[in-house]
Structures are given as C-alpha cells and as structure tokens.
Amino acid sequence: MNSIQHIDELIKEYLLFRGFTISYKAFETDCRADKDKGFQAEKIIEELFASIASMDLTGLLDYWKYLDIRYFSRLDHRFAGSVKKFELCLLRYYLVYAIQHRKKEKVVEFFEIHGAELQGNPEWVRWFALPFSKKPEADPEFDVFFSKTWLDTFTVSLHNFLSTVFQNMPLPSLLCFNIDRLHRKALQSEVETLQGVIETLRKEVQSNDTEISHLRDQVALKKVSGARRRRAASMVESHLAVNNNGDPKSDPVPKRSGSQSSQISQTNRLAITNARRLRAASDAASHAKSETRSEGSVESLSDEELARTDEPFIIVSQELFLEHQSGITHAKFSCEGSLISSCDAENIVRIWSYNGSSTMPPAKIANTNNILSLAWETRDRYLFLGTDASLVRCFSLESRSIVHEIKTDAQFPRVRYLTYSPVEPILICAVTSSDDSSGAMLSINMKTMTTGHTVILTGGPGEMINAVGFNHNGQLVVTGDVSGMIKIYEIRSLSRIMEWSASSQPILSCTFSFDETSIYSVDSQGQLSQDSVHKPDRRIDTYPLQGFKSSTLSSAMMMATSSSNSTRSAGGSSVRSKPFIRTTSSGAPVNSASVLRKHSEGSVSVLANIATIVTEAGTGQDESASVGGTAAAGSLLTQQSTQQGAKASSVKDTSTLTAMNVGPGQLLGWSGDTDHLVMGCGNAGVIVQASDGQQVQPLLGHSHPLTCVDWSAVVGACLTGSADGTVRISKLMRV
C-alpha cells in the first residue's frame, strides 16, 4: 500500500502523455474525493473524528457504512463481532464528545433518532440515562469512557484493525507488479550476497582440507620414519652389544686407561648416531620401492607398526612450560581452556596461558600450607586451592590476590579433592583427617561463602574418596572410594541416591559417560569398567588399560621427591627447596650402565620404571625408546637390583602419595566425549581408547616420570606434568 501514491502519479503522467485531459481531470477529482484516503488508516480515523467534532452524526454513520460495505463485509465471519464493537465504541465516543463540549441537545437528538433501534440492545440500556446525569464523568457507569486512556486505546485498536484489513485485501495487478518487482530485486540482492558467502566458505574449506591433508601426510611420514629409525637403532645397538660382550677369543678387547675408555665410549656414541642417520637415510631412499619387496624383507614394517600409524588425533602444536623449579604436583586446564594452573612441590601455584590462548599476564601464588587440590570456577574468574590446614583459599584473577579463605572442619584438615559445579556456584570438597582414617564430603555455597551440606564418611579408611565428578547439568555427583565403591549423590542435599561395588581395588578415577547412561571407572590395578546407571548391578564392559602399571605413580613421586629436595615441617608448612636442576635430552643415546650405577641405591619400582622409560634422541628430537633397548636395560637393572627388591616391595604407594600431596588419580584424564582418556605411562602420556582399553596414540614425553595429566574438551588439548618441573601442552585435532 505504500506505493499507491507513486502509482497514482504514474497514471497521471500516462494520461497526460496520451492526451487524455478529460480523464486526467476526472482522475484528479476522484483522487481529491477519495473516501479510501489512499488506504491510510490514520487519515480514515481523522475523517471519522472530524465528523464527530462537527457533530455530523449523519456523515459519521454514512462513512462508517461505506467502510462496512467496501471492506468489513468481505471479512471472515469471525471478525463480525469486532466490527460491531468498533461501531459501538465510535457512537459512544460521539456521545461523550457531545457531553464534554456541553452539547446535550445532540445527545438527546441521538436517542430520539436511534432510541427505538437501540432500546432492545443490552449494551445501550444504561446509556439512556446519560442526558439526565448531572456529572457523567464522575458516574461509575461512564467515568471510564471520559478518560484519555480509553480514547487512546480505542484509537490505537481501530488503527491496527484498519491497517490489518488493508494489508490483507487482494491487490490489483498493477500494484502486484510493483510489489513483485521489489521482491524480485530484494531476492536477487540476497542471492548475490549468499553466492559471495558460499564462495568464501568454499575457499576456506578447500584451504582447510589442504592443510589437513598436509598434516596427515606429515604424521604418516613421521610415524613410518620413526618406526624405521627405532628398528635401525635397535639392530645397531644389539650388534655393538654382541661385539663388546661376546666371546673374548673371537674378539679380544685389550684393557685401556680411563681416558682411553672415555674416548672409546665417545667413539661408540658417534658410531651409533651415524649408523642411525645412515640407516634412516637409506630407509627413506628405499621407501618408494618398499611395495615391490617381498613380505619377508628385513626393511618392511610389521603389521603392528602399520596399524600404529592410524591415530585418532593429529598433534597440531606443543609447548613446554619451564617456570617451576621443583616437581609438578598438580596441573589443570581452566573450564574455558584458555588458562592453566600448576603447582609444584614447593607449593608455588602458577597461573599461565599457552600459545597466545589468553592475554592475561602470568600469576604466581606462594603458599605456606601444602596444596592438596585445585579447582577452577566455571567462568575462570576464581581458582580454589585445597590445603592441609582446614582451609580452601579462593584466588581472584581480577584482583590477582587471595580474596577469601573458607574454613573447614578442624577434624578433617586435609582438603584432598575439589570440584566446581558446571551450572551453580557450588564447590564440592572431599576432606579427610590427618592420617586419612576418616573423612567427609561437603558442599560450599560460593555466593554466601558458607558450608551447605556435609556427609560424614563413617566407613573408615576404605570409604575415603579418591575421585569426584559432576554430570553435565551439575545436579548429580559421582564419587569413587578406596574400597572400590561408586556412589552417586544429589547435589541439593548431598543425599546418596545410588551406590554399587565397581571393584575390589581402590577407584582412581570415575566419570559420567557422554550420554550419562553409564559410569566409567578405573581402579588401582588399571581395570577400566563401564557400569550402567539404570542397572548398577549390570556391567556393560571391562578392559585392562594397556600399559598401566600400579607402580608408575609411586616411582614418579619418589623421583619428584628426590629431585625437589624440599622439606616440610610438622605443622604442614613447606620450606623452599634448593634450586632444582632440570635434565634434558642431549641427543646422545642413554648409557644403561651409567643409569644403573646412578640408581643402584634405589628401589626396584624406581629402577623398573627407569628401565621402561629409556629415551633416545638420535636426531636431536625426543623419541620413544626402542623395544630392544628397553628390554636390554630392564634385564641389566633386574640382574643388579635383586637384593634390593625385597626391601623395595614393602614400600607402600599410599605413603609416597601422601608425602608428595598428589592424588592417585591424577595420571588419568578423560576427553569430553569419554571416547578416550589420557594416561601417564612412565615419562610420557598416552591416549587410550575407552571402548577397549588399548593405547592408540603416544604423546611427547619428559626427562622424568609424569605426576599429573589433564584433558580440556573445550580447546582439544592435553597437558602432562612431570617430576622434572615441566608441563607440556599438546594441542590435538581429531582426524
């Protein structure tokens, strides 16, 4: 309807162009006398109110009758009541206007003319008294109609009604042509815009596909070349070992002085390195011809090595954090994944970002009490520190200071585990006594900074909580304890709603599955179990974690303890240790004999762990140890540490964990979809498939055993913290 005036001008122009002057004059006359007012609702209302202002009742009724016949009679019968209601209000306004302007004779005239017609209508029964009311504006029967609010409401309603009628009436072809033209033009512009967007997205997709293909080729090439280098190194080292330790008659070795032995050792290292490089170059040159060789060829890869090249993730980037001066005890991604909090054996907590993920400058928190647990607030505004002095410290990233300290029950001073609700401001704490013989679980309302509900664990040391986790909406909490029990609590009251025995061993980690129909748990023997939430007595699956060793964490903790050289007082305060000397890979192969001499005083678990984490770096980069080298080192260590084995076997893992303030489940971290988990295995982390417990992808390692791992589902990255004080971030991309 907005183009009617434009169409009128075009018609006038056309009539003049054709010389139809009489038609032109007649058209102009009709336009000036247009009762439709160009289908503009506000002008029609002005015409009606003008008749009321002039007290022209006949003109008012005639114009309304014209609108009724011209438009209202063509409406659906459902709108007949609305039309009658508007006519009633219009006539009432005529009477109210006459009273307001002291023209009662017009009111009397109205009822004389239409009284007989309106007498039987219940809507008008009370209005016959209007001419005889001294102050109708104060009369409860009429005061509403004399208010400005009623008039404004009536005017707006009538305007909306007329506009709706005009917008939905059928249009002539001339008006439709213009509307179709405008609509077509708008669609054409939209199509051009969308085509530009599609072209931009197509280029972006092609660029991403090219990058992904390039990364896959690089990963496959690295895996193949790495497997070949490991095989070549193993064969060269085995050959040298046979020559050095073989029959003296066939290859006598004369005795030499210390300097000569050192020179020979250096020569052997160079020979091994050069042999590896030559073998790798030879393998790369013959890679193109490998398909034509026989299956029994020494150069071909085994089926297991080929299968390992099919990994579920691509490691996009890696970053190493070196600010800590002692072994890492805790490390966690923030909820949004842009920040990392890490704590070392000296109880120094650092908050930092990696690879430009955040613009926040690093923060450092010094603590006089031992830090036993860390937890992030959902929006990364606060970091909570659990101590062994009945305190939960709240660090604000905005003010960069401790803004609150929450006091827990003095009976349970050790705050072993903290976890924050993903939805509500509720912090769950698992606390124990000083000797871990009793404990409790409590919820803290972070709005009021007060303790909400407390559950006392009366089952003795076996009921101490080892793992805590929320479901997606923060309404349920699952816990795993030392006795192997899985328990589910309702967060509002911390009432236990379900429990079952998942294992006869302590539970190290537990979490809800992605669809929240089952619970995944891992016990201290490395048994991965999946139990149904709806039928707890029904076990869905159970697998052993490939490569899991119960002594791995204990070994890591002992090495971290010895490397940090920190001393703690009886009161729980820590004294800063001597500077920690971090060892790094130098590119030379590890000498098993020197490792043996260095650690001959250690326990069997430590030596066995060292035997499994020997690393080689023939090309100057970190690589995993070959199978042959590991077996040889393990054999040497086993032969010369038999006497210490009986003593070391009596060392308990729990005492080591308590000394280092590290939870036993910190070497396990779950992905967001619970299809995979990252597990600490010696010096490096590995990604394990949850459906069968098999290792599917290794991560780059450290120079000392791992002490903690974590997985951020938001940014798709894993972190590994080590006893050497380093934290490595591995950014992953799903293949």
Side-chain angles (χ1 to χ4, degrees):
M1 291 300 178
N2 296 329
S3 60
I4 287 181
Q5 294 180 354
H6 179 63
I7 297 297
D8 290 346
E9 295 298 327
L10 292 178
I11 292 174
K12 291 179 182 180
E13 182 182 356
Y14 175 75
L15 292 175
L16 289 175
F17 175 75
R18 294 295 304 274
F20 300 152
T21 55
I22 298 176
S23 299
Y24 176 81
K25 292 178 181 180
F27 184 72
E28 272 199 332
T29 303
D30 289 340
C31 287
R32 283 193 294 267
D34 180 22
K35 289 186 176 182
D36 295 329
K37 305 301 179 182
F39 301 103
Q40 300 181 45
E42 58 274 8
K43 290 189 175 182
I44 292 177
I45 294 176
E46 288 178 3
E47 182 69 21
L48 291 172
F49 285 3
S51 299
I52 293 175
S54 61
M55 291 287 110
D56 184 7
L57 181 59
T58 304
L60 177 64
L61 294 176
D62 289 344
Y63 191 50
W64 183 262
K65 186 176 181 180
Y66 167 78
L67 295 175
D68 190 12
I69 296 173
R70 179 83 165 81
Y71 304 109
F72 303 154
S73 61
R74 301 180 183 181
L75 298 177
D76 191 271
H77 65 88
R78 294 175 300 171
F79 299 100
S82 299
V83 174
K84 291 293 184 183
K85 194 71 174 178
F86 281 119
E87 182 182 4
L88 174 65
C89 292
L90 190 64
L91 295 177
R92 286 179 174 176
Y93 178 57
Y94 173 82
L95 297 176
V96 168
Y97 187 87
I99 293 295
Q100 288 177 336
H101 292 78
R102 304 180 185 277
K103 295 182 179 180
K104 285 190 177 182
E105 66 278 5
K106 293 294 182 179
V107 178
V108 174
E109 180 185 354
F110 173 83
F111 285 109
E112 288 178 353
I113 298 174
H114 301 284
E117 179 184 350
L118 302 176
Q119 189 172 4
N121 192 337
E123 296 284 348
W124 287 97
V125 172
R126 299 179 182 274
W127 283 81
F128 283 98
L130 181 63
F132 309 103
S133 178
K134 294 182 179 180
K135 290 185 178 181
E137 61 274 7
D139 193 327
E141 294 292 340
F142 308 111
D143 58 349
V144 174
F145 302 98
F146 284 86
S147 64
K148 189 176 183 300
T149 304
W150 178 85
L151 178 60
D152 292 341
T153 304
F154 167 63
T155 304
V156 172
S157 300
L158 181 59
H159 182 279
N160 293 339
F161 180 73
L162 292 173
S163 299
T164 304
V165 170
F166 294 151
Q167 288 175 1
N168 291 277
M169 65 184 297
L171 299 177
S173 300
L174 187 60
L175 288 176
C176 290
F177 172 78
N178 189 48
I179 292 175
D180 291 342
R181 181 183 64 84
L182 295 175
H183 184 60
R184 185 169 58 253
K185 187 176 181 180
L187 290 178
Q188 185 177 359
S189 176
E190 184 178 358
V191 167
E192 292 176 355
T193 303
L194 292 177
Q195 285 177 346
V197 173
I198 291 173
E199 186 63 26
T200 303
L201 292 177
R202 183 183 290 110
K203 291 180 180 179
E204 185 177 349
V205 169
Q206 290 176 353
S207 175
N208 291 338
D209 289 343
T210 303
E211 184 179 356
I212 291 174
S213 177
H214 180 65
L215 290 174
R216 285 178 176 174
D217 292 343
Q218 286 185 343
V219 170
L221 182 61
K222 286 182 179 179
K223 297 304 296 181
V224 172
S225 61
R228 291 180 179 276
R229 285 198 301 271
R230 287 193 295 270
R231 172 167 289 186
S234 176
M235 295 177 65
V236 171
E237 289 177 356
S238 300
H239 180 71
L240 291 175
V242 170
N243 289 339
N244 291 334
N245 300 324
D247 187 2
K249 294 180 180 180
S250 60
D251 190 11
V253 180
K255 295 183 179 180
R256 294 176 174 82
S257 63
S259 60
Q260 291 175 334
S261 299
S262 176
Q263 293 175 359
I264 292 175
S265 177
Q266 181 67 20
T267 303
N268 288 341
R269 291 194 188 98
L270 293 175
I272 293 173
T273 302
N274 292 332
R276 290 176 180 171
R277 292 176 178 174
L278 290 173
R279 190 57 174 268
S282 176
D283 290 343
S286 61
H287 177 64
K289 302 179 181 179
S290 60
E291 296 182 356
T292 60
R293 295 180 180 176
S294 61
E295 295 181 357
S297 176
V298 179
E299 303 294 337
S300 62
L301 292 173
S302 65
D303 293 339
E304 180 181 357
E305 290 170 338
L306 290 174
R308 289 178 59 189
T309 62
D310 187 15
E311 297 178 341
F313 299 94
I314 294 176
I315 300 177
V316 180
S317 63
Q318 298 201 33
E319 184 174 344
L320 197 63
F321 186 71
L322 304 170
E323 293 298 321
H324 287 284
Q325 301 301 314
S326 58
I328 302 298
T329 58
H330 304 84
K332 280 186 177 294
F333 282 103
S334 64
C335 295
E336 296 180 357
S338 59
L339 298 173
I340 294 175
S341 59
S342 53
C343 178
D344 56 27
E346 298 175 343
N347 297 308
I348 295 177
V349 178
R350 296 182 182 272
I351 301 174
W352 46 283
S353 62
Y354 61 97
N355 198 20
S357 59
S358 175
T359 58
M360 193 202 82
K364 177 181 177 181
I365 312 171
N367 299 276
T368 57
N369 303 111
N370 294 324
I371 301 299
L372 307 185
S373 52
L374 300 175
W376 282 92
E377 187 258 349
T378 308
R379 289 183 286 179
D380 294 358
R381 297 178 302 175
Y382 302 100
L383 176 66
F384 302 101
L385 312 176
T387 70
D388 61 351
S390 302
L391 283 178
V392 176
R393 309 185 75 193
C394 178
F395 179 83
S396 171
L397 271 71
E398 182 178 0
S399 62
R400 303 175 68 83
S401 62
I402 300 294
V403 296
H404 200 82
E405 290 188 343
I406 305 169
K407 191 74 175 177
T408 61
D409 192 342
Q411 182 183 355
F412 308 111
R414 293 172 55 83
V415 185
R416 294 185 59 188
Y417 293 95
L418 293 174
T419 183
Y420 198 87
S421 170
V423 178
E424 301 181 18
I426 296 177
L427 181 68
I428 296 296
C429 308
V431 296
T432 64
S433 59
S434 300
D435 56 357
D436 290 340
S437 61
S438 60
M441 183 172 67
L442 53 94
S443 64
I444 299 176
N445 189 322
M446 299 312 300
K447 282 188 176 180
T448 60
M449 294 293 178
T450 57
T451 302
H453 301 278
T454 302
V455 177
I456 303 297
L457 305 176
T458 58
E463 202 173 354
M464 298 304 99
I465 295 175
N466 268 352
V468 183
F470 275 98
N471 69 332
H472 79 286
N473 60 6
Q475 300 303 307
L476 299 177
V477 175
V478 60
T479 65
D481 59 26
V482 176
S483 64
M485 294 291 294
I486 297 291
K487 301 174 184 178
I488 298 179
Y489 295 85
E490 192 271 327
I491 190 62
R492 300 290 182 183
S493 59
L494 278 189
S495 58
R496 188 185 308 171
I497 60 177
M498 192 180 301
E499 68 174 289
W500 67 91
S501 177
S503 174
S504 60
Q505 302 295 325
I507 301 297
L508 300 186
S509 178
C510 60
T511 185
F512 284 92
S513 64
F514 182 72
D515 57 5
E516 298 192 356
T517 60
S518 59
I519 300 293
Y520 285 101
S521 61
V522 179
D523 63 18
S524 60
Q525 295 300 318
Q527 196 71 17
L528 171 64
S529 303
Q530 183 182 8
D531 299 318
S532 173
V533 173
H534 306 295
K535 296 180 180 179
D537 55 342
R538 175 189 171 191
R539 173 144 295 176
I540 300 175
D541 277 317
T542 180
Y543 302 101
L545 289 179
Q546 182 186 12
F548 182 91
K549 291 182 175 63
S550 60
S551 63
T552 299
L553 184 59
S554 177
S555 303
M557 293 303 99
M558 282 186 276
M559 294 192 70
T561 306
S562 62
S563 62
S564 63
N565 297 322
S566 60
T567 308
R568 287 178 174 79
S569 63
S573 60
S574 63
V575 181
R576 186 173 179 84
S577 66
K578 300 178 181 179
F580 177 76
I581 302 176
R582 184 179 293 110
T583 60
T584 58
S585 179
S586 61
V590 176
N591 190 328
S592 301
S594 64
V595 173
L596 176 63
R597 288 193 300 270
K598 182 177 181 180
H599 295 284
S600 61
E601 301 289 332
S603 65
V604 168
S605 61
V606 176
L607 294 172
N609 187 53
I610 297 173
T612 61
I613 59 174
V614 176
T615 59
E616 65 174 4
T619 60
Q621 298 177 352
D622 291 340
E623 299 175 357
S624 60
S626 65
V627 177
T630 302
S635 176
L636 291 173
L637 293 170
T638 303
Q639 292 176 4
Q640 300 197 19
S641 59
T642 305
Q643 296 180 354
Q644 288 85 354
K647 296 180 180 180
S649 61
S650 63
V651 178
K652 294 184 179 180
D653 293 349
T654 55
S655 62
T656 306
L657 300 181
T658 303
M660 279 300 298
N661 303 322
V662 174
Q666 290 189 189
L667 287 181
L668 298 167
W670 295 88
S671 64
D673 55 9
T674 61
D675 288 342
H676 299 86
L677 68 153
V678 59
M679 178 180 69
C681 190
N683 286 32
V686 293
I687 296 178
V688 179
Q689 191 161 297
S691 60
D692 55 10
Q694 298 298 308
Q695 297 182 11
V696 294
Q697 186 167 358
L699 300 176
L700 202 58
H702 301 253
S703 62
H704 285 65
L706 300 188
T707 56
C708 56
V709 299
D710 195 19
W711 192 323
S712 173
V714 179
V715 297
C718 293
L719 68 78
T720 53
S722 170
D724 62 5
T726 62
V727 180
R728 184 182 297 277
I729 310 300
S730 302
K731 190 71 177 292
L732 306 177
M733 181 175 66
R734 191 71 178 261
V735 177

